[in-house]
Amino acid sequence: MCNEGRYRYAFSLKDLMVKQSSSHIDITLYNILMFHLFASKNSVFVDTILDEIQEKRLEFDDVTYNFLVYGFSNCESGSRSVYYLTEMISKELKLSNRSLRAVVRSLLEDNKFTEVLKLSQEMETKRWVHCSIVQNEIVTSFLNMGKLQEAVKFLENMIRKDLIPDNINYDNLIKKMCHHGRNDTASDLLDSMLMKANIPDSTTYDRLIQELSVCNKIDDALDLYTEMLNHKLAPSINTYEVLTEKLCECGRTLEGEKLIDTMIRAGEQPSKGMFGSVVSRYRFERNFTKASKLLQRMQQFGYKPDFETHWSLISTLSRLSDRDIDDNSSNFLSKLLSESGFKPKKDVDRKSK
């Protein structure tokens, strides 16, 4: 009846039910009616219900308060929502996450962030957990105001006091902390998720691994990369590229090549940039045999080496004596020379004859 706007009939039915149960009137009946009135955005009729509840001296239960907090928030009556929220907290009644999310969002829409913080502090004193969405809303508001330190402190407080739910999701906040250069906080958030047996998504791992790599914390990045694989999550090609590039910069060229091998074994195709990083580093290390072999593998995937790399290897390998290079490198040199328009001298002499 409420959904169809037939409020007079809904109230008449309520009156009939109240009359039939005059010996024991239950608050549940009023809760149900209030729920549907709020759902149809009709908070005006809710006042009539509240007056009747008061007249009959019925006590609100936690369901009543949660409906009132949530309902008035959705009906854009933030002040009334906060009123019943305050009354609810004073009676030690537990606020549902649904109601909490609604009132927080309503207050933030009204630019009442200070009231949100007061609510959070009140919840903290009672050791009530803050759901993922509420934490996200508070941290995002801090960041939008340029208060990075306050955002970090808030999150550290949540973790230290274990005011986080079992289904905590910090994926979004981990990425935001990375964006603001707080990789330490991002790592703590990721650990908190894992402690609650919640696995971050692959894009979260990707972002943190890439940020740690850029900050030259390559071992930490590799630990996360291994952890990611253990959770059967697939790293992005950008993650592989950044790890390979940084490993080569650190002189850990063989580990960079192993990343290429890992991708190939997994049935994935390494990027040209990955091959290029390792080949360039082998050239720098004057390990031309390794460079030539990897260049061959690179070409098997349809990649063409850049002009500088191509001619550098040709000129270098051509200067080495036969005992300095193995058969594979020698064959590779012949192939490079042939593809570049050069022919062995004996072939030229044979044709001239």
Side-chain angles (χ1 to χ4, degrees):
M1 289 178 179
C2 289
N3 291 341
E4 295 173 2
R6 299 163 65 189
Y7 303 110
R8 184 166 62 87
Y9 294 100
F11 274 78
S12 296
L13 181 57
K14 180 266 301 176
D15 291 339
L16 176 62
M17 295 175 70
V18 168
K19 184 177 180 180
Q20 289 180 343
S21 59
S22 56
S23 59
H24 179 70
I25 302 173
D26 197 298
I27 190 68
T28 303
L29 173 62
Y30 293 95
N31 287 344
I32 293 171
L33 184 54
M34 279 193 293
F35 172 83
H36 290 289
L37 287 171
F38 277 126
S40 59
K41 300 289 186 182
N42 237 298
S43 59
V44 174
F45 287 104
V46 172
D47 289 330
T48 302
I49 295 296
L50 291 174
D51 289 340
E52 186 172 328
I53 291 174
Q54 185 175 14
E55 179 185 320
K56 295 183 181 299
R57 300 179 182 278
L58 296 176
E59 290 288 331
F60 288 1
D61 59 14
D62 59 337
V63 176
T64 312
Y65 279 111
N66 273 299
F67 282 170
L68 289 170
V69 171
Y70 179 80
F72 281 122
S73 292
N74 275 358
C75 291
E76 299 181 357
S77 183
S79 59
R80 297 193 69 182
S81 179
V82 172
Y83 170 79
Y84 286 109
L85 172 63
T86 304
E87 192 171 298
M88 185 178 188
I89 292 175
S90 69
K91 293 185 177 184
E92 300 290 331
L93 295 174
K94 188 67 183 289
L95 184 66
S96 71
N97 284 332
R98 179 170 175 264
S99 299
L100 178 60
R101 289 194 295 268
V103 73
V104 166
R105 283 173 171 165
S106 176
L107 289 171
L108 290 176
E109 286 173 2
D110 292 338
N111 296 315
K112 295 179 178 178
F113 182 57
T114 303
E115 291 193 35
V116 173
L117 288 183
K118 287 180 181 178
L119 171 59
S120 173
Q121 290 162 3
E122 183 71 27
M123 291 175 62
E124 187 179 325
T125 60
K126 296 181 180 298
R127 299 198 61 78
W128 289 357
V129 300
H130 292 52
C131 69
S132 302
I133 293 176
V134 169
Q135 290 191 51
N136 187 77
E137 294 283 1
I138 292 175
V139 172
T140 300
S141 296
F142 272 130
L143 294 177
N144 289 341
M145 292 185 288
K147 296 182 177 181
L148 176 60
Q149 286 302 115
E150 286 84 348
V152 171
K153 185 178 179 181
F154 170 80
L155 288 171
E156 290 175 344
N157 203 36
M158 292 294 103
I159 295 171
R160 186 178 68 257
K161 295 188 176 182
D162 194 24
L163 299 178
I164 56 180
D166 289 337
N167 64 342
I168 189 67
N169 186 317
Y170 279 135
D171 283 320
N172 188 43
L173 292 184
I174 289 171
K175 292 166 188 172
K176 286 186 177 182
M177 287 297 114
C178 287
H179 175 74
H180 289 275
R182 291 305 300 256
N183 298 333
D184 53 343
T185 303
S187 297
D188 290 341
L189 296 177
L190 186 141
D191 288 341
S192 294
M193 284 187 67
L194 294 174
M195 287 179 66
K196 295 287 186 178
N198 301 308
I199 309 301
D201 65 31
S202 59
T203 60
T204 300
Y205 271 107
D206 281 329
R207 182 62 187 273
L208 187 50
I209 290 171
Q210 291 171 30
E211 289 295 326
L212 289 171
S213 298
V214 170
C215 294
N216 296 316
K217 294 183 177 180
I218 189 64
D219 288 322
D220 291 339
L222 288 172
D223 286 343
L224 280 182
Y225 162 75
T226 302
E227 185 179 292
M228 189 178 184
L229 296 182
N230 289 338
H231 291 309
K232 301 190 184 307
L233 298 174
S236 69
I237 189 64
N238 287 340
T239 293
Y240 275 114
E241 285 182 339
V242 171
L243 282 173
T244 305
E245 180 182 349
K246 285 299 175 180
L247 283 169
C248 291
E249 284 182 11
C250 296
R252 298 162 67 173
T253 322
L254 184 59
E255 291 179 69
E257 186 175 0
K258 285 181 178 178
L259 284 180
I260 293 176
D261 293 335
T262 299
M263 285 194 72
I264 295 173
R265 283 197 302 271
E268 300 179 50
Q269 180 168 330
S271 68
K272 182 179 179 180
M274 291 176 67
F275 281 109
S277 293
V278 181
V279 169
S280 295
R281 184 66 195 190
Y282 275 139
R283 283 174 51 207
F284 175 80
E285 296 170 356
R286 302 189 65 77
N287 193 337
F288 300 110
T289 299
K290 279 274 193 181
S292 64
K293 288 180 179 178
L294 193 58
L295 204 59
Q296 282 180 294
R297 296 180 73 188
M298 174 180 170
Q299 290 176 310
Q300 289 171 1
F301 282 94
Y303 298 126
K304 292 183 178 180
D306 61 77
F307 180 83
E308 180 187 354
T309 300
H310 196 144
W311 283 98
S312 174
L313 280 175
I314 290 177
S315 60
T316 302
L317 290 174
S318 64
R319 290 197 303 270
L320 298 176
S321 64
D322 289 340
R323 66 172 178 269
D324 293 326
I325 57 176
D326 57 24
D327 291 338
N328 288 332
S329 296
S330 180
N331 292 335
F332 175 62
L333 174 60
S334 299
K335 185 179 178 182
L336 277 180
L337 290 168
S338 175
E339 290 177 350
S340 303
F342 290 94
K343 298 184 183 301
K345 187 175 187 298
K346 59 183 179 181
D347 291 345
V348 175
D349 291 342
R350 187 182 300 116
K351 285 185 179 182
S352 64
K353 291 178 180 180

